[in-house]
Amino acid sequence: MSSPRQTLPGTDQPPAPEPTDPPGASSTSGTSSTSGASSTSGSGTPGASGASGIHPVDESRPLGRILLFGIQHVLVMAATPISAIFLMSATLHLDAGLTVDLLSAAFVLSGVGSLIQSLGPWKFGPRLPFVMLPGGAPLILFLAIAEQHGLRTASGAVILTALFCFVVLPVFSRLLAFFPALVIGTMIVIVGVNLVKVGAVLVTGRPGQPGFADTTNLMLGMATIGFTVVFYLLFTGILRQLAVMLGLLAGTALAAGLGHIDTGRAVEGGLVSLPHLMPFGSPQFNLLAALPLMLYSLASMAEATGQTVINAEAVGKEIDRRTAVPRTVRGDALTSLFGGAFGLPLMVTSGENIGIVSVTGVRSRFVTAAAGVVLIAIGFLAPVTRAISVIPSAVIGGTAMVVFAVITVLGVQMLGRSDLDRHTNTFICAVALALGLLPILIPGVYAGFSPNLRILLESGVAVGAFVAAVLNVLFHHIRPGIAARLTTSRTESDR
């Protein structure tokens, strides 16, 4: 989410807007379309086609240039899968070999998803310049399920949720009304706070455990954040977009200078490695355990609508939301289905690359397809994934805190468009935040409840989204209807 689909600082991309029309809604012309991007390409004004009549999104370019621009997309978003896998590894105490295997799978599946969304085979993918990544909110839910029920159940939950997306997609347009910006924005704020906390634990360690608040780790984490700020302050254009990645590299260099990197693992093993299918064993399917992830997927589909619209606007291509948005959701679901089989959380379309499209003016979807190929190649190159795996957790944590704090800001921005001047909306947001943040700020608060009930209550994201959605229905759908009927009955009795 812009939101859980993380958006890096420097992309100059507004968060995905709340869709005003559901995918199934029709406009006066019979199609819901978007046009008018702020960027231009060599073909002229936004939305214009080239001399051959081909839209710039569908234009092919020289292979060398496509590959170069594709690598640029990869550099901007590479910190996200790295941070996601390190969070998994540190939280679930995975060994180095399994971490490398999951990192390889994350790059390969990100590449496969990018190819699906960019090339649009059959009914999958909107044929827009999209890149796919492991999602932020789904990662937190995956970790919560894994800690309570084990990794096999967490993988099964991902697969069940991917299948659930296919099943619920036909009625998605009807459900969208129950997830307005107020509900999604509240959920995103909870997601952001939760992710920042998890990232901070990578820097500080867990309270009560040996090495907690180690001064060297704190220094490395803070220095990584400081490097990122300096790069973002001094650079412009593409280099500014790479501030997070450059900060990660600078923090790693500092750690190497202090002797806090074990380079032995980076040179061990062969040149090529394939991600292992079902790395945790055969998935276990538990509908109750998967329920928080399924609930999140409804909001994710609403966000996919906004991502598709804003991407089409950025490239100046007219789309029919009734067909383009379902193709995006199917692409997300298919990639997540594969990802669950390889031990990954849900995969989602990312808005991180739209800023690069706006800056460079290169709107071809074949560029993000090339980025997908590069991601797959990185996943298969064992020395690259091993080298990434030796980055200290404190450095990754510093980067993760910056990347994931942006999610909180995006949630606040979305809430700013939710008419919080109305006391009813303020009340809905406040109650949802209070109940959603409770298990995050006070871990173990529901320890006295039954295990099945704890699955739901300890997922702050699911609780916050559910409370916000229910209160939104009560105050904005049911209450006005009851009030209208009472007014009508009073009027008739007065007669």
Side-chain angles (χ1 to χ4, degrees):
M1 279 182 175
S2 346
S3 66
R5 304 166 193 270
Q6 299 100 327
T7 303
L8 300 184
T11 59
D12 299 323
Q13 174 212 340
E18 177 198 4
T20 55
D21 298 312
S26 59
S27 64
T28 56
S29 63
T31 60
S32 297
S33 60
T34 59
S35 61
S38 58
S39 62
T40 60
S41 73
S43 60
T45 59
S49 298
S52 61
I54 300 176
H55 191 280
V57 171
D58 302 314
E59 281 184 341
S60 179
R61 293 172 174 269
L63 181 60
R65 292 188 63 189
I66 286 180
L67 187 60
L68 180 62
F69 284 119
I71 292 173
Q72 181 174 263
H73 280 272
V74 171
L75 289 175
V76 170
M77 51 69 65
T80 300
I82 295 172
S83 300
I85 298 305
F86 268 76
L87 285 174
M88 283 182 60
S89 178
T91 304
L92 303 176
H93 308 291
L94 306 179
D95 59 49
L98 188 54
T99 300
V100 171
D101 187 72
L102 291 174
L103 189 60
S104 174
F107 277 112
V108 171
L109 267 296
S110 294
V112 170
S114 301
L115 286 170
I116 291 173
Q117 300 289 22
S118 300
L119 300 181
W122 197 45
K123 295 183 179 181
F124 296 90
R127 296 181 181 176
L128 290 170
F130 266 128
V131 171
M132 290 198 68
L133 299 170
L139 172 61
I140 290 298
L141 296 174
F142 181 93
L143 295 177
I145 296 170
E147 288 183 316
Q148 294 180 26
H149 293 275
L151 285 163
R152 294 170 64 187
T153 302
S155 294
V158 172
I159 295 173
L160 286 174
T161 302
L163 296 174
F164 173 75
C165 290
F166 284 115
V167 173
V168 80
L169 184 57
V171 296
F172 167 58
S173 59
R174 299 177 185 176
L175 297 172
L176 190 58
F178 301 110
F179 288 87
L182 177 65
V183 175
I184 298 178
T186 302
M187 182 190 69
I188 291 171
V189 170
I190 297 173
V191 168
V193 173
N194 202 352
L195 283 171
V196 171
K197 177 185 175 181
V198 175
V201 170
L202 289 179
V203 178
T204 64
R206 294 186 180 274
Q209 294 187 355
F212 171 68
D214 179 78
T215 54
T216 302
N217 288 335
L218 285 173
M219 183 270 294
L220 285 175
M222 296 303 105
T224 301
I225 296 175
F227 286 136
T228 303
V229 171
V230 170
F231 292 139
Y232 191 79
L233 176 67
L234 297 180
F235 294 150
T236 60
I238 301 302
L239 287 178
R240 196 181 202 196
Q241 291 179 316
L242 299 176
V244 171
M245 179 61 67
L246 293 174
L248 175 70
L249 295 175
T252 304
L254 177 61
L258 296 174
H260 282 264
I261 290 184
D262 178 15
T263 58
R265 288 185 318 195
V267 296
E268 296 174 353
L271 295 177
V272 178
S273 66
L274 299 177
H276 290 88
L277 188 65
M278 295 183 289
F280 311 127
S282 300
Q284 293 182 343
F285 301 104
N286 184 326
L287 280 174
L288 187 60
L291 189 59
L293 205 55
M294 290 180 178
L295 178 63
Y296 163 78
S297 70
L298 297 177
S300 179
M301 284 189 279
E303 186 186 7
T305 304
Q307 289 282 14
T308 305
V309 170
I310 197 173
N311 194 313
E313 290 177 349
V315 299
K317 183 176 182 179
E318 295 184 354
I319 61 170
D320 183 349
R321 297 186 194 181
R322 294 172 299 177
T323 57
V325 171
R327 291 176 70 99
T328 302
V329 174
R330 289 190 202 102
D332 283 359
L334 182 62
T335 308
S336 295
L337 189 62
F338 292 145
F342 284 92
L344 299 177
L346 284 181
M347 306 290 290
V348 296
T349 49
S350 167
E352 297 176 5
N353 59 302
I354 299 177
I356 304 178
V357 172
S358 300
V359 170
T360 63
V362 180
R363 295 179 273 168
S364 174
R365 58 190 172 95
F366 296 106
V367 169
T368 48
V373 174
V374 173
L375 287 168
I376 293 173
I378 291 175
F380 287 146
L381 291 175
V384 175
T385 53
R386 286 197 301 266
I388 293 173
S389 71
V390 302
I391 300 176
S393 61
V395 175
I396 290 289
T399 299
M401 289 172 65
V402 174
V403 172
F404 296 143
V406 175
I407 295 176
T408 308
V409 176
L410 293 175
V412 172
Q413 289 177 341
M414 185 170 288
L415 287 175
R417 303 195 301 274
S418 304
D419 197 13
L420 290 181
D421 291 336
R422 296 177 58 186
H423 295 303
T424 299
N425 287 349
T426 302
F427 180 77
I428 293 172
C429 181
V431 174
L433 285 175
L435 295 178
L437 290 174
L438 178 61
I440 298 172
L441 300 178
I442 308 179
V445 66
Y446 297 118
F449 290 81
S450 65
N452 287 336
L453 189 57
R454 285 176 56 193
I455 296 174
L456 302 177
L457 295 178
E458 291 186 349
S459 173
V461 177
V463 169
F466 177 77
V467 170
V470 170
L471 293 181
N472 177 70
V473 170
L474 288 175
F475 282 99
H476 293 310
H477 295 269
I478 296 177
R479 186 171 181 267
I482 295 175
R485 283 194 293 270
L486 289 175
T487 301
T488 302
S489 62
R490 287 172 185 168
T491 303
E492 292 176 350
S493 63
D494 291 341
R495 291 176 182 176

